[in-house]
Amino acid sequence: MHIVFIGPPGAGKGTQCQRLTEHLAIPHLSTGDMLRETDRNSSLGKVVAGYIDHGRLAPDDVVMPILVERLSAPDCAAGCLFDGFPRTVNQAERLDAFLADAGSQVDVVLHLDAQADELSSRLLRRAEIENRLDDNEQAIAARLQVFGNQTVPVLEHYRSRGIVERIDGMRSPEAVFTQIQRRINGRG
Ligand code: AMP
């Protein structure tokens, strides 16, 4: 099963993805983690860091090869959970084409929804704990704007296929996970 997890920064995607991959025993593919792992001293790493630190999306031509390499590994053959990917309609179309070539498809898109005012305060609280360079006020505002402009259209892309499940991210982590399990089981 291929699951796409989409939600604005601060909606609690990381926590839920971790629980869900353990529950389903499928790999967790986070493009944010992959990009953060590129060596900041390499020429690619410098380019990537410039985007991440300012809350802007790395170019599709940088993200796609990294994602495709990971997705081609044998442990992803039976499915995986995409976290933070696709973030643009172009990435979604390229993912669809890649999976179609392998006789597969995205089965369900979980849309973790939360109110905008709650998101920035959650992110600022997280900044104190995790020390992420892109959890400052300016980068947070940019990331929320990018989500609205470039990632919300990805939801529209998948909505036309009837595979988007909206999850209320304003509830407790346990209640959110229960909703997710119900929606997945309903489609299993
Ligand atoms: P995340 O950990 O998912 O919040 O991602 C952190 C940052 O990594 C984002 O703000 C982007 O700069 C970059 N990033 C992660 N995933 C993607 C993607 N699919 N396309 C472009 N940039 C990405």
Side-chain angles (χ1 to χ4, degrees):
M1 191 177 209
H2 292 99
I3 304 172
V4 166
F5 213 111
I6 294 183
K13 255 185 313 138
T15 313
Q16 297 299 331
C17 282
Q18 214 173 337
R19 295 181 77 154
L20 191 56
T21 48
E22 276 169 28
H23 178 72
L24 297 174
I26 54 173
H28 174 200
L29 271 54
S30 158
T31 42
D33 285 348
M34 293 177 204
L35 293 170
R36 275 186 292 275
E37 277 163 17
T38 55
D39 178 3
R40 280 191 172 234
N41 294 318
S42 69
S43 50
L44 176 67
K46 282 191 189 117
V47 172
V48 166
Y51 288 100
I52 293 184
D53 295 352
H54 294 97
R56 298 204 316 265
L57 292 186
D60 293 344
D61 288 338
V62 168
V63 177
M64 287 310 300
I66 298 176
L67 185 275
V68 162
E69 190 188 342
R70 178 66 190 92
L71 186 53
S72 306
D75 65 326
C76 293
C80 65
L81 176 67
F82 297 102
D83 169 9
F85 177 90
R87 263 176 152 103
T88 64
V89 171
N90 179 47
Q91 288 180 9
E93 287 169 348
R94 288 165 76 169
L95 174 65
D96 291 346
F98 181 86
L99 292 176
D101 275 351
S104 188
Q105 77 276 313
V106 172
D107 299 291
V108 57
V109 176
L110 299 171
H111 171 208
L112 188 61
D113 203 7
Q115 279 165 19
D117 52 350
E118 172 69 15
L119 296 173
S120 19
S121 49
R122 280 192 197 177
L123 287 166
L124 288 169
R125 276 200 303 276
R126 184 174 82 181
E128 290 170 18
I129 304 163
E130 291 186 6
N131 207 16
R132 265 177 64 156
L133 286 172
D134 57 350
D135 276 348
N136 61 69
E137 241 167 290
Q138 251 181 351
I140 288 171
R143 285 157 66 204
L144 290 171
Q145 202 178 16
V146 162
F147 181 80
N149 293 341
Q150 292 181 265
T151 307
V152 167
V154 175
L155 288 169
E156 296 307 323
H157 169 85
Y158 287 120
R159 217 167 259 137
S160 63
R161 279 175 44 194
I163 57 170
V164 177
E165 297 280 3
R166 182 187 171 274
I167 308 290
D168 179 2
M170 298 299 287
R171 303 202 197 157
S172 69
E174 288 69 30
V176 171
F177 191 59
T178 304
Q179 286 179 75
I180 291 174
Q181 281 176 292
R182 283 207 193 107
R183 304 298 171 80
I184 301 242
N185 291 342
R187 288 187 172 262

